[in-house]
Structures are given as structure tokens and as C-alpha cells.
Amino acid sequence: MESYYVTTPIYYVNDEPHLGHIYTTIAADVLARYQRMSGRDVFFLTGVDEHGQKVQQAAEARGIEPIELADQVVERYQTLWPDLAISNDDFIRTSSERHKSGVQAMWRRLENAGAIYKDFYEDWYCVPCETYWTETQLKDAERWDNKHCPDCDRAVEKVQEESYFFRLSAYQDRLIDYINAHPDFIAPASRRNEVLRFVESGLNDLSVSRTTFSWGVPVPGDEKHVIYVWIDALTNYLSALGFPDQELPKHWPADVHLIGKDILRFHAIYWPCMLMAADLPLPGRIFAHGWWTVEGEKMSKSKGNALRPADLLAQYDADVIRYFLLREVPFGQDGDFSFTAMKQRYNSELANDVGNLLNRSLAMLNKYRDGVLGEPGDEQGLDRALIADVEGMQRDVAAHMDKQAFHLALERISLVVRHGNRYVEENAPWALAKAGDDARLNTVLYHLVETLRLVALQLLPFMPGKMASMLGQIQGEALQQELSFSAHGGWGLLKAGHQCAKPQPIFPRME
Ligand code: MSP
């Protein structure tokens, strides 16, 4: 079976889960479910990033050990993911032994390849961003006084210490060639160009160890040094698979690393260069999504306005949240979250379109046929157009999912739903019933139910709970088995004589 490996970033444990974290994880989950249904051997990884100065400081501020802080936040993530129907296959913690040995093995590989050397480091460090800046970078930044982080504008600290360096500069040309030869390696295209420009402007070697704090993975053979958090964090994608015990784990390389745009440089520059140095294959794609504002405002810790998953779940079903986040904003672009927009989309696309088509179709089937499908008769133009649209949807959704274009996939499915509602109007089953045209009525009801079933199948990765109940009403308990596009995606699977349930609204209108 062909492997499919999808990852989320590992989330810092000095913050609580918010909208930004659930966004990436939901997107990854939809890909994982879609690929499982496509018959791939999926490995879907998420987890937490526990090390570093920020976490050590956050723990100190609370008077607890870093690991206690990490345990608390891990608990929150691990209870949150099932609430959002996240089907991850593993959860990696960077404090775990399996991860630490993976990181140390990576370090040794880089060292053996001659990609690491020891020197002195004198630079500017932004603690909140965990980023080092050179004088030049600070001068280019907006602030004239040259003492503030170009990213977050907070004060940077001057640091001088003994440090190990990774020869990032040595991989500059290879990386440029690689990006040029693999146009889909970094997505969306605007991000790819951004990375290319950055790499072409010149890469400096990277300081990759610290002696100023201890909460991290020690450098093998030189324990007073802690490995820089990004080398540590990025290696999670391999350590979770059993690296180094399994030299080339079966799911490596990853098919796609989903990340937010703020951590693009780490994933699209540092990580590929590390892998080149370690002589390991590169991931298939790095997809950087945009950022959400909430009701027009940037979420920030200081404002305390971060949108918490619990606040969302108090008002909406997990499936509706999943649908909305992926439908509202083209994946890759920034967007704004608002409860008004969510309610509007819910009412118009889920209640009025999908819910209505399901309810009216099953209601008519029950009214005229006691819920039993009749033998469909000769196909007419309207029927053929509907089937063609359903089959077109399946192809188009597959193409969109290959590009992580969730919004386009959902839009395409919506077209079929609206087509289905139009088909009801055009064929007026109530008139056929009145006229006693049994053959035509059977055909129309059959086409509606098959359309609904195939729409639900496409929506299943997005809304697993709601669609399971929709499919349950249509096809009954057969749902207990694993559904796949190849076994269940063909038109005409339901046979005459099949009994459907009475309609039960899955998307009641919200006032
Ligand atoms: N620990 C690092 C990632 C290491 S991956 C090897 C990290 N963690 S984080 O918890 O700060 O952020 C995780 C993700 O949340 C990032 O992908 C970031 O883009 C995302 N988001 C944080 N705020 C966000 C929004 N407001 N909107 C969308 N995503 C946002 O970075």
C-alpha cells in the first residue's frame, strides 16, 4: 500500500491551544482521512514542542518544573483532539526518550558529515521568537535603534557564547537547485518565491547550541551544550517514526508538512539543509497556511483575546467548525474569523443546501415509497447531467486535495448539492406522484439518493460525525465497515429494494 505521511507543527507548551493550533491540525486530519479513504497507508503525526528557554521561563514564572508545565498542556491537547475528531496516529513529545535519541542521532549524522563545527557566537537573540539576528538584519528592520526584533519588535539581547554551528551556507546552492527543480516543494507559490529570494540573498551558518539554559537535549559528548530548539523540534518528524532505530523508516519522506507561514523559514530552509547534510530524503511538500485574525483583531497573549477551542465547541459541533475553517478562507491565505460569518455559512450551505437536500429527498422517498428504493428506469438528460456532475466532483475534489485546496474541494461539492436541489425542482417528484408516473418517480428518487450518498462520501473526511449520520440514514449499518472511494465511490451501488431511514435533520437551522 502506498504510504502517505502528513504532519502538523509540534505546538509549544507555553501557550494553551487556540484557533491557530486547531486550524493546522484539522487541515491535516482532513488530508489524513481523505488519503485513508483513497487507500493509502496513512501516518498522521502531531505533538508538542517542550524544550527551550521560553518554556523554561514560563515554568519558572509559575514555580514549577518545565516537565510539569509540559504535562499540563499535553493533557489539554490530548483531550482536545478527540473533541475535534482528530484521528492522529501518533503524538510526539520532545521530552520523550524516543525523541531525544532521534535528535542526538541526527546531531551525530550532521557532525559525521562535517556539517557542524565549534566557534564563538556573538549576536542578538530574541527570547520570545527563539531567533538569532545579525547586526545587518537588525539594521534592516524598522526600528532605528537596532535593538529590537525584526519579527516581533520586542527587545533583543546581545549574546556571546561558545556555540556549535551548522554549515547552512554550504547548502545554499543545492537548496536553490532543489527548489527550482521541484516546483511543488514549497506551497503556495508566493511562499516559494519568498523562500527563494531569501536563500538567494545568502545564508549564514546557524548557531545550533546553547550553554545559557538546560531545558533541552544535550549535545552528545559535550553535555554543557543544549541543542538549539529548532534542530530538536524539526527532528520530531523523524523521531516519531522510529529514527534512528529504523534507519529509513517506512513512512519517510513525509508527503506534506503543514505549517503556518511564520515558521516557513525553519521548514523550508533549515530542515531541507539538515536533511541534505544528513543524507536523508527531503519531504514532498511544505505547505504554509495563513493566519487568522478574530473578529478583525490579531490574537495576542497580552490582549488575552485568543479564540479558545472550548468557546467554539460550546456553540458549534466539531464538524461544523472543521467545515467552516476550511471553507471560509482559501488555504494559504490569511483570513478573519467571526461568529457571524460562521452562522451565515452554516445556515446557507449546511442547513439550506446539504440538510435540505437530504431531508426533502428522504422525506419524499418515505412518503411515496415507504423509504424503499425502486428500480430506476431509462435515464434522461437531466439524470445524465446529474451523474456527470457527481463524477466530475469526485475527480475535481481529488485534484484539489492533492494541492491542499480544501476551499475549492468544498466549493466543488457544494455545486453538486445545489445541482441536486435544482434537480428536485426540475423533476417535481410530487407532480410525478400525483400523475401516477411510477417509473419516472423511481428514477428521480434513485438519482437523488445516490447523489446524496456520494456527496456524503466526499464530505466524510471534513465532517466525519455528521456524514456518518447522513450515510447511516441513506445506507444503514453497512457503514460500520471502512469506507473507501474505490469500493464505495461508484454510481449505482445502492440497489432497488434498499431501505433508507426516515430523515433526521443533521443541520437544523440556527436562528
Ligand atoms: N513549536 C513551533 C513549531 C515547531 S514545528 C517543528 C511553533 N509552535 S507554536 O505553538 O507557536 O505554533 C504552532 C502553529 O500555530 C504555527 O504553525 C503557527 O503558524 C500557528 N498559529 C499560531 N497563531 C496562528 C493564527 N493566528 N492563525 C493561524 N495559525 C497560527 O511554532
Side-chain angles (χ1 to χ4, degrees), residues 160-230:
Q160 198 205 31
E161 45 175 310
E162 183 189 83
S163 169
Y164 287 93
F165 285 80
F166 171 58
R167 287 186 204 283
L168 190 63
S169 60
Y171 298 92
Q172 175 175 332
D173 293 340
R174 265 178 78 185
L175 183 60
I176 293 173
D177 290 346
Y178 190 89
I179 296 174
N180 282 325
H182 299 84
D184 295 328
F185 178 52
I186 302 166
S190 56
R191 298 289 167 210
R192 168 177 182 270
N193 296 336
E194 195 182 299
V195 170
L196 257 183
R197 277 195 303 273
F198 187 92
V199 182
E200 281 164 356
S201 78
L203 295 179
N204 295 321
D205 288 353
L206 188 67
S207 165
V208 288
S209 75
R210 292 282 138 252
T211 51
T212 44
F213 67 94
S214 56
W215 178 234
V217 182
V219 166
D222 195 353
E223 308 263 309
K224 73 175 193 292
H225 285 262
V226 164
I227 297 176
Y228 174 47
V229 286
W230 276 97

Side-chain angles (χ1 to χ4, degrees), residues 121-122 177 287 334 370 387 408 467 510:
Y121 188 82
E122 189 179 289
D177 290 346
F287 193 110
D334 292 338
D370 288 327
I387 297 175
L408 295 180
M467 291 304 110
M510 283 181 82

